[in-house]
């Protein structure tokens, strides 16, 4: 809750306290989840190298215990770091592996999330048509789930695509819609994401 509300210091404190307990218990599954969450907080704070280290530790634990769903989560999280560091081909490959795992374990929400992320990776590679297809598939699922948190990210991503395509009015409308949605659910944009969107929309 603290992480989604933008209180990263509190989120970090709670996750670290919980991780210490899980380590004492030898609970590797929960340790993997907490390392994953610590990686996400590091990502939100813009420390991508630390985020990668957390996610790699989580992936190693999850691989050790053989949890296919959790492995998919870690692959997706590492793909996000590749994406944020502009390594678009590597990100696309991670997301493709994640999609295979999501379908294997039968998680349609994760598949929708991965479509969103594949849209970002293909957008970064300049394949705007492929990005639109992925965003469309993600949008349908998010609407079915009424997932406002995920939808805010998707609106931002489609807004950036519109800006890159030279469609200024819809780009600004989509970012404004995401802002309103975030305000309604109390989930502010992470500073690192805010900076990236500002940079992408500068010309628009």
């Amino acid at each position: 809750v603290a992480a989604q509300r933008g209180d990263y210091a509190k989120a970090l404190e709670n996750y670290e306290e919980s991780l210490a307990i899980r380590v004492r218990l030898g609970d590797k599954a929960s340790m993997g989840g907490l390392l994953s969450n610590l990686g996400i907080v590091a990502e939100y704070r813009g420390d991508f190298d630390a985020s990668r280290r957390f996610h790699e530790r989580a992936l190693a634990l999850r691989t050790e215990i053989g949890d296919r769903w959790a492995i998919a989560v870690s692959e997706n999280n590492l793909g996000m770091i590749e994406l944020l560091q502009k390594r678009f081909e590597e990100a696309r490959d991670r997301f493709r592996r994640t999609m295979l795992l999501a379908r294997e374990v039968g998680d349609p929400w994760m598949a929708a999330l991965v479509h969103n992320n594949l849209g970002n990776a293909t957008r970064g590679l300049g394949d705007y048509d492929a990005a639109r297809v992925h965003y469309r598939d993600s949008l349908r699922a998010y609407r079915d789930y009424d997932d406002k948190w995920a939808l805010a990210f998707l609106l931002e991503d489609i807004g950036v695509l519109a800006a890159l395509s030279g469609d200024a009015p819809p780009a600004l409308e989509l970012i404004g819609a995401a802002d309103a949605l975030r305000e309604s659910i109390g989930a502010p944009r992470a500073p690192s994401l805010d900076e990236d969107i500002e940079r992408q929309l500068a010309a628009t």
Side-chain angles (χ1 to χ4, degrees):
V1 173
Q4 298 311 321
R5 290 177 173 172
D7 188 351
Y8 304 129
K10 185 62 176 176
L12 187 62
E13 176 186 340
N14 288 336
Y15 285 145
E16 287 178 342
E17 288 179 4
S18 185
L19 179 60
I21 295 168
R22 295 299 181 179
V23 169
R24 287 199 301 271
L25 295 172
D27 184 349
K28 292 183 179 180
S30 295
M31 287 164 60
L34 287 160
L35 289 167
S36 182
N37 289 339
L38 284 164
I40 290 170
V41 171
E43 174 197 323
Y44 287 171
R45 300 176 92 172
D47 190 346
F48 301 142
D49 290 336
S51 180
R52 181 188 296 276
R53 289 192 295 272
F54 279 124
H55 291 314
E56 286 174 344
R57 289 172 61 193
L59 179 58
L61 278 173
R62 289 166 161 177
T63 301
E64 181 182 340
I65 63 178
D67 186 333
R68 305 287 284 172
W69 179 87
I71 290 169
V73 171
S74 287
E75 287 283 1
N76 181 72
N77 290 340
L78 283 163
M80 282 300 302
I81 301 306
E82 302 285 11
L83 188 68
L84 291 165
Q85 294 186 320
K86 313 302 181 189
R87 293 196 282 262
F88 299 117
E89 289 187 6
E90 292 89 341
R92 181 191 58 196
D93 292 344
R94 287 270 190 192
F95 295 141
R96 284 175 172 171
R97 288 199 293 274
T98 307
M99 183 66 81
L100 290 174
L101 287 165
R103 289 173 173 163
E104 180 184 318
V105 300
D107 188 337
W109 185 89
M110 184 181 289
L113 175 67
V114 179
H115 271 302
N116 189 167
N117 292 339
L118 276 166
N120 292 340
T122 51
R123 186 189 70 196
L125 290 167
D127 189 347
Y128 295 169
D129 288 338
R132 288 186 186 95
V133 171
H134 286 301
Y135 290 151
R136 179 198 64 204
D137 291 343
S138 184
L139 178 60
R140 287 172 174 164
Y142 288 168
R143 282 177 170 170
D144 289 344
Y145 282 97
D146 192 28
D147 189 333
K148 294 180 175 63
W149 179 80
L151 184 58
F153 285 95
L154 181 59
L155 291 172
E156 291 160 354
D157 293 334
I158 300 173
V160 169
L161 177 61
L164 294 173
S165 302
D167 298 328
L172 297 174
E173 288 169 2
L174 286 160
I175 298 300
D179 288 341
L181 193 54
R182 286 184 175 281
E183 184 176 351
S184 74
I185 62 175
R189 193 178 294 125
S192 58
L193 178 58
D194 200 42
E195 291 171 9
D196 185 60
I197 290 175
E198 287 293 331
R199 184 171 60 254
Q200 299 268 31
L201 265 67
T204 303

